[in-house]
Amino acid sequence: MAKIEQLSSLHVSSEVSLERIVAAARAEPGLWLMVKEREMELRAIRAELERLGAKESDIDHLFPQRLTPTLSELADDLVSRMFGGCPPDMLMPVQDALLAAARRELNEYP
């Protein structure tokens, strides 16, 4: 895979770039499994928050122990390997794209 030395936040947030990042994650079975584990973790936490009547903003306070590496660390590592670096403002769109793809895949299996 060619390395792009300069990553523009305008370009990585494009749908094509996000699809490429998700495809790269899926191509690494270990990484993709960790992404799907993070989606399952979030599902469990959301269910528990609902049961407790808490808000989603309470996640970090009520659930300080989370899977490691974090999704943010996984996304940063993946994008850095692909593009030579990951601007901080791009972590959320990449994380959202990875979780959405994992959610779709997990929902395919009853």
Side-chain angles (χ1 to χ4, degrees):
M1 175 181 330
K3 192 179 214 180
I4 300 170
E5 293 302 324
Q6 192 65 20
L7 179 63
S8 164
S9 62
L10 294 174
H11 290 86
V12 83
S13 64
S14 75
E15 197 63 34
V16 172
S17 295
L18 291 173
E19 287 174 10
R20 182 174 168 209
I21 292 167
V22 170
R26 283 187 166 140
E28 293 185 41
L31 174 68
W32 189 239
L33 177 61
M34 287 190 283
V35 170
K36 291 191 299 186
E37 287 173 335
R38 297 328 174 264
E39 170 58 24
M40 293 301 296
E41 176 186 44
L42 285 173
R43 286 181 184 192
I45 290 172
R46 284 185 188 117
E48 187 63 16
L49 285 173
E50 187 175 315
R51 188 186 73 75
L52 294 171
K55 295 179 244 157
E56 196 158 329
S57 61
D58 295 329
I59 284 179
D60 292 331
H61 172 70
L62 295 173
F63 301 94
Q65 299 283 324
R66 307 277 294 273
L67 292 174
T68 56
T70 65
L71 181 61
S72 179
E73 292 166 333
L74 293 172
D76 181 53
D77 179 62
L78 175 65
V79 174
S80 293
R81 285 187 285 125
M82 290 178 70
F83 298 104
C86 182
D89 60 327
M90 289 316 307
L91 279 177
M92 284 308 295
V94 170
Q95 290 177 74
D96 291 344
L98 290 171
L99 286 175
R103 189 175 310 116
R104 283 190 302 272
E105 187 173 306
L106 289 167
N107 287 339
E108 290 176 6
Y109 303 103

